[in-house]
Amino acid sequence: MTFAFALAATNGAARAGTLLTAHGPIETPVFMPVGTAGTVKAMTADAVRATGAAIVLGNTYHLMLRPGAERVAALGGLHRFTDWPGPILTDSGGFQVMSLAKLRKIDADGVTFQSHIDGSRHRLTPARSIQIQHLLDATITMALDECTPFPATHEQARASLDLTTRWAALSPAAFVPRPGYGLFGIVQGSTYPDLRAGHAAALAAIGFDGYAIGGLAVGEGQPAMFAAIEATVPHLPADRPRYLMGVGTPDDLLGAVARGIDMFDCVIPTRGGRTARAFTSWGVANLRNARFAGDARPLDPGCRCPACTRHTRAYLHHLFRAGEMLGPMLLTWHNLTYYQDLMRGLRAAIVQRRLHAHIEAVRAGWAACGEIA
Amino acid sequence: MTFAFALAATNGAARAGTLLTAHGPIETPVFMPVGTAGTVKAMTADAVRATGAAIVLGNTYHLMLRPGAERVAALGGLHRFTDWPGPILTDSGGFQVMSLAKLRKIDADGVTFQSHIDGSRHRLTPARSIQIQHLLDATITMALDECTPFPATHEQARASLDLTTRWAALSPAAFVPRPGYGLFGIVQGSTYPDLRAGHAAALAAIGFDGYAIGGLAVGEGQPAMFAAIEATVPHLPADRPRYLMGVGTPDDLLGAVARGIDMFDCVIPTRGGRTARAFTSWGVANLRNARFAGDARPLDPGCRCPACTRHTRAYLHHLFRAGEMLGPMLLTWHNLTYYQDLMRGLRAAIVQRRLHAHIEAVRAGWAACGEIA
């Protein structure tokens, strides 16, 4: 079993492919639900499977603090722990150390920080991050990076990127190769095209099983994000998967797939599911809105999820107004189903070489009655 | 389709029966999960079905305030609204008006109160309570009662009971008979055997499709509760189901079934599911306890629920420690499965006339390693 990526079709810059892993195949473009602390929030593993998800995320930062990587390993790894035998990608911890940890201190060899849970002191180095991900039994391991803050001057972005390159260069040696397991590097460079291009080339020279684009969707806006993708993609090996980290809205996914991205993760559908924000074929809507109180229609008439096939908009509205957990449960299930079906539609359109027309049709649907997002 | 109750077997005072309703049959003794506001908390309807539940509860008080009985009726009734085509019992609102509403004022004809949600003014009378339950399309309608507070003097309990009798007498005329639908009266009388006996006889004289015992599990303790049941049951018609409201712990269920009770509802398994309190064949335990942090065993090895067949105690512990919704979701699923299987075991033992030995065996299991409850 190799960690192989095969392209099935291209349409402009967009690609449809298949990634073969030790834990099963992944058809791309793919959206990966976020399972930060060993669970996709408000979803059983069976429910995640029912949405059609092929791979889920786990978080090195959260899991190393609680329940601990060694504990997860003793319990048989993250697949058994979470009832998810399929592929799992774990992030390196770099992003969460920057956004969540207290008193973090970065040096040339790694980062020392205090847990946001109990204040305990921890250290992550490129080797320790990879070791933790090995203990978790991650199918796809991410090399430790420094997620460059936004905004950053060219000089700041350059310095940050150099640290990530240094850490990336140490990563392949720390990774224990196993058939069907892969190691990805993370391209930084903020919104500077020259830095993005240069860093992509630098990582490609090191050689990874896949390449992520990090440090985007952090406030730069969609046009700047798309520009950064366009500056990066041509410098990545065409025969390796490309993963845009932490993105995004449905419209972000359309634009990024059209620009050659194969993989995505984002909390938007799951967080939205807990805050009554529904993503549908007719647009985005907040189910707490009074206009849904008596609405006997299914949330999204064409959707196959239980929220849509079993219930009315009025019921979902009621659940959120009453503060019932079933509201987040059903809407998370719907949103993830919508994201999966959106990606499946994009893949089919790429294979049939009609991506542009398909994207126009999806956008026309969104304009029908919801807010635009 | 009649609302028929047939006894399949008896064992001492205990009974195994079948209740035929417009929405399906119910084998007794039966435990009814509580779906206060149109959802069994933390459970999809599919999950409730998977536990083996045959009937669920809804609450007149909560549903009249939000989303409103007329709205539920316009949306096709509570069965369609909640994706539960099976039998539904709704309580009368009496208990919740006493425990939740603000500024309640009882008079001879009903009760006026303010909503705990928005302070709006509402009135419940015996006829309006039954009308609301009709709008909800309840399979089993409860007559409005005054739930006597505990403790109460004999005089207070008598006065309260007289009001309930007065309201009960008005109820059959307000109930629209439909094939397979039933109306239950509620016996009060606090912990006074003479009042319980007299009230049971008074309600039997009015004539209902079933008889509930209310006003227990309110602080009187298990011995007093069992004594009140023993004082009541002989005065209820043997050919009608007997429903002990708001009870109880697994041990309460054993004792009450042995004393001739057929139906139960209680928030204990669902509330416990949200607060890490696990009910198992080896006893009761709090899953937040550190002793479970590395426990690789299933929660209850013989249990068929997803929490037990797919996960470890260590994973459930982790979910509760991390504040993840999946903890309450999985443990509610387990607790309700445990309650259903407990009732199923009691029924089988009654049919085989070995209830006493079965109860001893269940209790011996609980003494094995958990706390006793």
Side-chain angles (χ1 to χ4, degrees), chain A residues 133-199:
Chain A
Q133 295 176 75
H134 192 156
L135 287 165
L136 298 175
D137 195 25
T139 315
I140 300 178
T141 293
M142 300 303 297
L144 186 65
D145 65 326
E146 189 199 26
C147 184
T148 308
F150 180 84
T153 64
H154 192 278
E155 194 175 4
Q156 290 166 334
R158 170 94 220 189
S160 165
L161 170 163
D162 284 344
L163 187 63
T164 293
T165 308
R166 178 184 157 84
W167 291 354
L170 298 169
S171 294
F175 180 73
V176 179
R178 289 145 289 162
Y181 286 72
L183 174 67
F184 283 26
I186 303 176
V187 178
Q188 293 288 345
S190 191
T191 52
Y192 302 102
D194 62 318
L195 296 184
R196 287 281 171 188
H199 200 221

Side-chain angles (χ1 to χ4, degrees), chain B residues 1-5 19-22 178-181:
Chain B
M1 170 74 66
T2 56
F3 189 87
F5 182 63
L19 184 58
L20 299 178
T21 80
R178 287 146 290 163
Y181 287 72

Side-chain angles (χ1 to χ4, degrees), chain A:
Chain A
M1 171 74 65
T2 56
F3 188 87
F5 182 63
L7 286 180
T10 59
N11 189 178
R15 299 129 56 95
T18 304
L19 184 59
L20 299 178
T21 80
H23 302 104
I26 302 162
E27 298 208 319
T28 64
V30 65
F31 180 82
M32 306 182 280
V34 177
T36 302
T39 155
V40 176
K41 290 185 193 300
M43 297 284 283
T44 64
D46 276 340
V48 177
R49 278 185 278 277
T51 68
I55 171 172
V56 299
L57 241 73
N59 280 46
T60 291
Y61 172 83
H62 290 85
L63 292 167
M64 73 185 280
L65 298 182
R66 186 174 53 197
E70 279 75 9
R71 169 146 285 155
V72 173
L75 292 162
L78 200 52
H79 303 269
R80 283 184 60 184
F81 192 55
T82 64
D83 185 29
W84 184 265
I88 297 176
L89 181 150
T90 47
D91 70 5
S92 64
F95 180 78
Q96 282 76 26
V97 167
M98 306 306 153
S99 57
L100 292 177
K102 295 186 285 190
L103 294 176
R104 59 187 173 277
K105 206 182 155 206
I106 300 176
D107 56 60
D109 300 321
V111 55
T112 305
F113 62 93
Q114 285 190 312
S115 161
H116 72 289
I117 299 166
D118 61 5
S120 59
R121 225 176 134 80
H122 298 267
R123 183 162 172 81
L124 268 184
T125 62
R128 175 61 181 159
S129 173
I130 286 171
Q131 183 189 30
I132 289 171
Q133 295 176 75
H134 192 156
L135 287 165
L136 298 175
D137 195 25
T139 315
I140 300 178
T141 293
M142 300 303 297
L144 186 65
D145 65 326
E146 189 199 26
C147 184
T148 308
F150 180 84
T153 64
H154 192 278
E155 194 175 4
Q156 290 166 334
R158 170 94 220 189
S160 165
L161 170 163
D162 284 344
L163 187 63
T164 293
T165 308
R166 178 184 157 84
W167 291 354
L170 298 169
S171 294
F175 180 73
V176 179
R178 289 145 289 162
Y181 286 72
L183 174 67
F184 283 26
I186 303 176
V187 178
Q188 293 288 345
S190 191
T191 52
Y192 302 102
D194 62 318
L195 296 184
R196 287 281 171 188
H199 200 221
L203 292 189
I206 295 170
F208 288 94
D209 298 304
Y211 297 84
I213 305 180
L216 293 177
V218 289
E220 76 283 1
Q222 197 192 63
M225 178 175 78
F226 285 166
I229 295 169
E230 289 170 7
T232 308
V233 161
H235 304 279
L236 296 175
D239 62 349
R240 292 288 155 195
R242 303 160 185 162
Y243 162 29
L244 181 58
M245 303 184 81
V247 175
T249 65
D251 192 60
D252 290 339
L253 300 185
L254 300 192
V257 165
R259 287 167 177 82
I261 301 297
D262 307 303
M263 303 169 68
F264 301 87
D265 81 283
C266 193
V267 297
I268 283 177
T270 38
R271 184 172 292 162
R274 300 195 300 283
T275 56
R277 192 161 175 77
F279 294 91
T280 76
S281 63
W282 50 266
V284 181
N286 190 310
L287 288 177
R288 297 182 64 92
N289 193 300
R291 71 178 159 128
F292 297 118
D295 194 334
R297 292 172 293 179
L299 173 55
D300 199 348
C303 179
R304 61 190 166 82
C305 86
C308 294
T309 56
R310 307 289 186 82
H311 293 292
T312 58
R313 296 174 193 176
Y315 183 64
L316 299 171
H317 170 85
H318 166 68
L319 293 175
F320 279 103
R321 285 294 181 106
E324 289 286 351
M325 283 175 62
L326 187 56
M329 290 163 61
L330 286 174
L331 190 56
T332 300
W333 196 324
H334 167 76
N335 282 349
L336 286 178
T337 303
Y338 180 72
Y339 267 62
Q340 291 301 326
D341 288 353
L342 183 71
M343 300 310 282
R344 209 167 295 203
L346 290 170
R347 190 179 199 280
I350 294 166
V351 169
Q352 296 162 27
R353 297 181 193 279
R354 53 174 181 84
L355 181 63
H356 182 75
H358 178 73
I359 287 176
E360 290 305 305
V362 170
R363 286 197 174 126
W366 293 340
C369 20
E371 312 156 31
I372 306 301

Side-chain angles (χ1 to χ4, degrees), chain B residues 101-141:
Chain B
K102 295 186 286 192
L103 295 176
R104 59 189 174 276
K105 209 185 151 202
I106 299 176
D107 57 61
D109 299 321
V111 55
T112 304
F113 62 93
Q114 285 191 312
S115 160
H116 73 291
I117 300 167
D118 62 4
S120 58
R121 224 176 136 80
H122 298 267
R123 182 160 172 83
L124 268 184
T125 62
R128 176 60 182 160
S129 173
I130 285 171
Q131 182 189 31
I132 289 171
Q133 295 176 74
H134 191 155
L135 286 165
L136 297 174
D137 196 25
T139 315
I140 299 178
T141 292

